Amino acid sequence: MDDADLLAAAREALAGLALPDGTPLLEAGTVSGPVVSSGRISLAISITAEDAASFADIRSRAETALRAMPGGDGAIVVLTAEKQSAAKQSAAAPPDLGTGKAPVTKPPVLSGVRHVVAVASGKGGVGKSTTSVNLALGLRSLGLKVGILDADIHGPSLPTLLALHGRPRLGKDRRLRPMQAFGLQAMSMGLMVDQETAMVWRGPMVMSAITQMLSDVDWGTLDVLIIDMPPGTGDAQLAIAQGTDLAGAVIVSTPQDLALIDARRGIAMFRKVDVPILGVIENMAHFICPDCGGRHALFGEGGAQAEARRLGAPYLGAVPLTMELRRASDSGQPIVALDPDGPLGQLYAGMARTLWSALEAAPHTDQKTLKGV
Ligand code: ADP
């Protein structure tokens, strides 16, 4: 069935459904969608935060109806409470955009995951995704079971970095199975949500989509789940930081940014919601010349480490800017998988070891919950 046929079938499947006030779902001005892209169907219902409980039923009925359609490749229906900002939510109860149940009754959907770690950056283009993937593979090289979720809805790069092809499979229980790549369990928002639709989503909606995505995926038993965060420190990032039960965050920065405001903002954001900073990784720290093999410290040396110390954040290490790393990332063959014993493979494995020690040393709960689901 092509997307146009699926859209017609989706509209038919939703035709009998109505919002709590009786407005037919498809006629409500607060509903965007359904949108179909490559077989995946998405729909968003805009609500106020107070309406979350009363809209939970229609959300799940709409999602069930769409998922039951033959020919579809997964469906997601999200509630978005745009009228209450994420910052305000942090002061009150955790956001409740999913099922509408009270926080205490929320299902431990990540119960098999020992530690959830966010990899974040103050801005885009600093190598956050490259770092997430190679750090995940570094953890894997220690013999750990590792998953990675690309939560960067607006610029998902995991499909490229891990050469993910095809679509995630739906299990008999209607939960998605993560894709397998280089021994990692991998999932990307880019595989689930249409890019153009997601482009207009604001913070709480991104949060809602991500928490549903986390709970819709059967992650199984994992030692670490890495969340490759959307870049920046806006509402979406804050909502994920406060809505997901994070063991901690790793901040990726280029040396010049670390001395500037972006990385500091990232650190401040996690601290604000009591998520420990597990480390700062300096990426593109110095340049390794492909011709002469020389090492050039374009931005001086030691500054980032000193700045991390000043900010009270552990420094995990410096990754050079190299042609080899860029080529490996962009060709879907991460450097740690390609050359685990090479200098970069060893560098990431070393940082992964430090990270793992910090995770295991910290007091943690074995049952991860998703606030907001
Ligand atoms: P972000 O997730 O912060 O937007 P990416 O991980 O997508 O950044 O990296 C942006 C670009 O920089 C990609 O082309 C990637 O291959 C390249 N890159 C990242 N880190 C390095 C590095 N240390 N050396 C060379 N190229 C790098």
Side-chain angles (χ1 to χ4, degrees), residues 24 28 71 76 79 88 91 100 110 161 188 190 217 271:
I76 184 164
L79 297 180
K88 276 189 208 137
L110 295 178
L161 285 167
S188 170
V217 174
R271 289 210 168 126

Side-chain angles (χ1 to χ4, degrees), residues 19-364:
L19 297 183
D21 69 358
T23 313
L25 185 73
L26 292 174
E27 289 169 26
T30 48
V31 171
S32 23
V35 173
V36 180
S37 171
S38 310
R40 297 180 300 272
I41 308 161
S42 53
L43 180 105
I45 308 171
S46 182
I47 58 166
T48 63
E50 301 79 56
D51 288 338
S54 56
F55 276 69
D57 181 52
I58 180 65
R59 189 206 72 76
S60 87
R61 283 204 290 142
E63 197 168 77
T64 307
L66 293 175
R67 288 187 181 178
M69 282 170 37
D73 224 344
I76 184 164
V77 177
V78 293
L79 297 180
T80 169
E82 297 192 39
K83 290 184 186 158
Q84 187 186 24
S85 78
K88 276 189 208 137
Q89 286 165 2
S90 74
D96 191 7
L97 306 175
T99 62
K101 288 176 193 156
V104 283
T105 62
K106 282 169 191 161
V109 290
L110 295 178
S111 57
V113 180
R114 194 162 165 80
H115 305 288
V116 184
V117 175
V119 175
S121 63
K123 65 174 190 186
V126 303
K128 171 184 51 60
S129 300
T130 303
T131 307
S132 302
V133 163
N134 285 298
L135 204 54
L137 287 166
L139 289 162
R140 168 96 188 102
S141 75
L142 306 178
L144 300 169
K145 283 180 141 180
V146 186
I148 180 163
L149 170 71
D150 175 7
D152 191 350
I153 288 194
H154 300 130
S157 39
L158 211 60
T160 306
L161 285 167
L162 292 176
L164 298 179
H165 299 296
R167 311 246 170 77
R169 276 186 316 109
L170 266 185
K172 284 208 183 73
D173 54 1
R174 309 301 289 166
R175 291 183 82 203
L176 288 161
R177 299 288 176 266
M179 299 183 87
Q180 311 288 317
F182 304 99
L184 302 175
Q185 311 277 336
M187 198 66 185
S188 170
M189 288 304 285
L191 300 170
M192 293 305 299
V193 182
D194 172 56
Q195 284 292 283
E196 278 175 28
T197 314
M199 215 46 101
V200 296
W201 288 7
R202 302 226 296 270
M205 193 156 171
V206 172
M207 164 67 189
S208 178
I210 289 169
T211 49
Q212 270 171 42
M213 167 102 160
L214 278 167
S215 60
D216 279 354
V217 174
D218 182 3
W219 290 100
T221 308
L222 292 178
D223 293 304
V224 185
L225 175 65
I226 297 275
I227 301 186
D228 179 4
M229 297 276 284
T233 48
D235 269 7
Q237 292 77 3
L238 184 60
I240 299 168
Q242 73 187 35
T244 317
D245 199 355
L246 295 174
V250 171
I251 307 287
V252 181
S253 173
T254 54
Q256 67 275 38
D257 296 319
L258 190 60
L260 295 172
I261 202 80
D262 295 311
R264 287 187 206 171
R265 252 197 221 127
I267 290 172
M269 180 191 79
F270 285 107
R271 289 210 168 126
K272 184 172 166 186
V273 290
D274 290 328
V275 171
I277 304 297
L278 296 165
V280 170
I281 294 179
E282 190 184 4
N283 190 36
M284 309 186 194
H286 47 267
F287 174 62
I288 306 279
C289 172
D291 299 324
C292 68
R295 182 180 190 281
H296 307 278
L298 301 179
F299 304 103
E301 293 206 71
Q305 188 166 10
E307 185 66 20
R309 197 178 305 126
R310 204 185 64 73
L311 295 169
Y315 183 72
L316 289 182
V319 179
L321 176 68
T322 79
M323 197 71 132
E324 191 193 359
L325 182 47
R326 196 208 55 75
R327 233 186 255 124
S329 292
D330 295 348
S331 67
Q333 291 274 317
I335 195 75
V336 174
L338 198 63
D339 188 13
D341 298 325
L344 288 166
Q346 288 300 302
L347 178 65
Y348 282 111
M351 294 193 292
R353 208 172 292 119
T354 310
L355 175 64
W356 178 247
S357 306
L359 285 169
E360 286 291 271
H364 69 275

